[in-house]
Amino acid sequence: MSATLSFDNIGKVFPGVRALDGVSFEVRAGEVHGLMGENGAGKSTLLKILGGEYQPDSGRILIDGNEVHFSSAAASIAAGIAVIHQELQYVPDLTVAENLLLGRLPNALGWVNKRTARRFVRERLAAMGVDLDPDVKLRKLSIAQRQMVEICKALMRNARVIALDEPTSSLSHRETEVLFKLVRDLRADNRALIYISHRMDEIYQLCDACTIFRDGRKVASHPSLEGVKRETIVSEMVGREISDIYNYRARPLGEVRFAAKNIGGHPLAEPVSFDVRRGEILGFFGLVGAGRSELMHLVYGADKRKSGEIELDGEPIRVKSAGEAIRQGIVLCPEDRKEEGIVAMASVAENINISCRRHYLRAGMFLNRRKEAQTADEFIKLLKIKTPSRKQKIRFLSGGNQQKAILSRWLAEPDLKVVILDEPTRGIDVGAKHEIYHVIYQLAERGCAIVMISSELPEVLGVSDRIIVMREGRIAGELSREAATEHSVLGLALPEDAPGANAENEARAA
């Protein structure tokens, strides 16, 4: 019996880089096939070829043993293929229903029947166990909710082949469970699925088989994951052994460097206060919607706060805008790199130099282009950003390499004092995570105060010196590194009436 989907010797070359080199593997009906590899290994490029966005320079795609050619995304969709990309593709000013039915809205004589569209979408979402309002516009949803809309859009096309690229990178625990159930239901319905994730637990939970990419080539395939050690997959991905991805480095902590006092504003339920010492990595954990990112936007001056003050090295400072924060040595790496982090049409060098460019002016008006080029080259090398040159448009880089460029932007600031990292490793491979943690430790060892928001509990536990847990717009508790466990952190993060809430306290009482 032939495979539902086959890649046969697929090759793709972009200017200055060979993205794919002779890639071949098969995906069968009723199988979830995992794809793993470092950022820039070629996984997303392969999905864009499958989705008709790119055409291969060599090789063939076969569906049920028959060669197919996709000249456009529409051709791929018509062939029964749905691709859910890591970088979301939606129309922010259209509603959930309109985004889900884009290109196939029910109409009569050119007039869209919105009532029919809403009813159809509401029924389908309910059947999938997804709680979304069909009438709300996408721009009003959280990143996690937008991700669910993209996932539902693909599933509602009733495709035979479904590819998911980092689908849980922004999802809450509950939304992830909904997705996992949908994936299992699709497998039981004899669909062929490709699942890209950097989260090893997800690969082992969902996937029947796995293929590993490195530098655009297939380096290994596992027809079954039974008996395959995680260390083996990590080694195949990065080409070297990584025994401890977090590699926590203890360091002496200084006096309080940064303090936020009685910060109030939407959507916080009550004023919030916290502080960070010199050399400290303060982790912020909470479920999606807990208010962590919103709190940091208020602190940073990106959103208007109703109350509160900021202190730096014991002195009150004015932070009413992002520009004022940057001039004080306070920087923020945002969660949504596509919307808030990168300038998509600018080069890698321009994205790295955006902030520190003010330091390279001569006579207050002439840019020192040579210095900018040196800075870009320095950080491309330091953070191992995979790009053919500093002049490459950043939108052509993988998500992980875009994230490294954003980090480089702030590392290039000459007098960093406070670094706020919001989901710094979202959608990033294990090797790149290891490198980013190393940079975070280096910043802390220089005396910076680090605030790190993460939805990955192992990451928060592995990197932080101290952890603050938020729940429903307020601080639910604070834990030292020694006291923090998965049970104690989740016990604080979950609503009080949820199963497992206060699990650690209940265990101790028993």
Side-chain angles (χ1 to χ4, degrees), residues 2 45 94 273 356 401 416:
S2 62
T45 299
L94 293 185
S273 300
C356 63
N401 285 297
L416 272 185

Side-chain angles (χ1 to χ4, degrees), residues 345-361:
M345 297 305 295
S347 69
V348 175
E350 289 170 318
N351 271 273
I352 290 174
N353 283 291
I354 281 173
S355 176
C356 63
R357 175 168 281 173
R358 68 190 190 279
H359 301 295
Y360 302 153
L361 290 173

Side-chain angles (χ1 to χ4, degrees), residues 49-251:
I49 288 174
L50 178 63
E53 294 181 53
Y54 297 158
Q55 280 69 52
D57 295 321
S58 59
R60 304 180 301 160
I61 297 176
L62 297 95
I63 303 291
D64 294 328
N66 300 311
E67 186 173 350
V68 293
H69 301 275
F70 302 137
S71 58
S72 66
S76 174
I77 292 168
I81 293 168
V83 179
I84 302 164
H85 296 286
Q86 181 181 356
E87 299 298 337
L88 305 183
Q89 299 175 340
Y90 54 84
V91 184
D93 287 317
L94 293 185
T95 66
V96 168
E98 289 165 339
N99 270 275
L100 289 174
L101 297 176
L102 201 59
R104 53 197 186 98
L105 284 160
N107 67 88
L109 300 176
W111 293 92
V112 173
N113 189 327
K114 293 186 177 181
R115 181 179 297 178
T116 300
R118 283 196 298 269
R119 184 174 63 249
F120 176 75
V121 167
R122 190 173 285 112
E123 290 172 355
R124 292 300 303 270
L125 291 177
M128 289 187 283
V130 177
D131 183 19
L132 286 171
D133 181 356
D135 293 322
V136 70
K137 289 187 177 181
L138 263 287
R139 68 167 60 256
K140 294 185 177 180
L141 298 182
S142 68
I143 295 175
Q145 290 170 321
R146 295 176 199 175
Q147 186 108 4
M148 285 304 293
V149 171
E150 286 297 288
I151 292 165
C152 292
K153 185 195 300 182
L155 300 183
M156 285 172 63
R157 289 175 180 153
N158 205 29
R160 294 183 58 228
V161 176
I162 301 170
L164 303 98
D165 191 355
E166 295 287 349
T168 65
S169 60
S170 297
L171 300 188
S172 68
H173 177 74
R174 180 192 170 278
E175 289 164 330
T176 297
E177 288 300 314
V178 170
L179 173 68
F180 283 7
K181 181 181 183 302
L182 290 173
V183 169
R184 292 182 179 115
D185 289 347
L186 289 166
R187 175 171 55 192
D189 197 34
N190 226 28
R191 314 290 179 91
L193 295 105
I194 296 175
Y195 193 92
I196 295 179
S197 179
H198 294 306
R199 296 177 177 177
M200 201 77 72
D201 288 344
E202 294 182 8
I203 296 295
Y204 277 90
Q205 273 186 266
L206 289 178
C207 296
D208 306 292
C210 185
T211 293
I212 316 298
F213 279 29
R214 188 168 72 239
D215 297 328
R217 298 181 179 89
K218 182 188 81 172
V219 294
S221 271
H222 301 283
S224 169
L225 287 171
E226 189 174 348
V228 179
K229 294 182 178 180
R230 298 181 181 219
E231 294 80 5
T232 300
I233 290 180
V234 171
S235 178
E236 289 168 345
M237 285 172 57
V238 302
R240 63 189 188 278
E241 295 289 338
I242 297 180
S243 56
D244 178 6
I245 182 177
Y246 304 112
N247 195 26
Y248 174 78
R249 304 202 301 243
R251 72 207 77 82

Side-chain angles (χ1 to χ4, degrees), residues 291-500:
R292 302 160 301 159
S293 298
E294 293 83 354
L295 169 61
M296 295 309 155
H297 279 216
L298 294 170
V299 166
Y300 188 61
D303 291 333
K304 187 176 181 179
R305 61 176 183 268
K306 295 179 180 177
S307 64
E309 60 182 26
I310 306 298
E311 291 184 0
L312 186 65
D313 294 327
E315 298 292 331
I317 60 171
R318 175 187 170 93
V319 180
K320 298 292 185 181
S321 68
E324 287 184 348
I326 293 168
R327 286 190 289 274
Q328 296 281 0
I330 304 167
V331 301
L332 167 68
C333 290
E335 174 188 15
D336 190 344
R337 59 176 168 257
K338 182 180 179 182
E339 294 286 338
E340 301 173 345
I342 64 168
V343 180
M345 297 305 295
S347 69
V348 175
E350 289 170 318
N351 271 273
I352 290 174
N353 283 291
I354 281 173
S355 176
C356 63
R357 175 168 281 173
R358 68 190 190 279
H359 301 295
Y360 302 153
L361 290 173
R362 293 179 294 189
M365 57 189 299
F366 299 106
L367 277 175
N368 187 335
R369 297 290 186 183
R370 180 179 296 177
K371 179 61 178 173
E372 285 201 350
Q374 289 174 349
T375 299
D377 289 342
E378 175 188 347
F379 286 102
I380 287 170
K381 182 178 179 181
L382 177 67
L383 269 71
K384 301 177 183 175
I385 299 172
K386 291 184 179 179
T387 177
S389 79
R390 75 174 92 93
K391 296 179 181 179
Q392 173 74 293
K393 293 247 188 314
I394 197 169
R395 65 192 179 95
F396 292 121
L397 269 58
S398 68
N401 285 297
Q402 290 177 2
Q403 187 79 328
K404 289 182 183 181
I406 296 169
L407 280 173
S408 298
R409 177 187 306 164
W410 301 128
L411 293 175
E413 281 288 333
D415 191 23
L416 272 185
K417 296 182 176 72
V418 182
V419 182
I420 303 170
L421 304 167
D422 195 350
E423 303 287 0
T425 65
R426 182 172 71 88
I428 291 179
D429 64 79
V430 63
K433 283 184 178 182
H434 188 68
E435 293 161 4
I436 287 173
Y437 299 146
H438 176 68
V439 171
I440 292 172
Y441 296 139
Q442 283 184 319
L443 287 169
E445 287 159 1
R446 278 170 40 185
C448 289
I450 311 293
V451 178
M452 187 187 75
I453 299 171
S454 178
S455 298
E456 291 192 43
L457 184 50
E459 179 173 78
V460 174
L461 294 171
V463 175
S464 306
D465 300 301
R466 181 166 53 101
I467 298 172
I468 287 177
V469 182
M470 290 191 70
R471 182 180 70 228
E472 297 173 344
R474 55 174 59 88
I475 289 179
E478 180 181 315
L479 297 163
S480 67
R481 180 176 179 83
E482 293 72 28
T485 65
E486 289 198 11
H487 282 294
S488 62
V489 174
L490 282 174
L492 291 169
L494 291 167
E496 292 184 358
D497 58 349

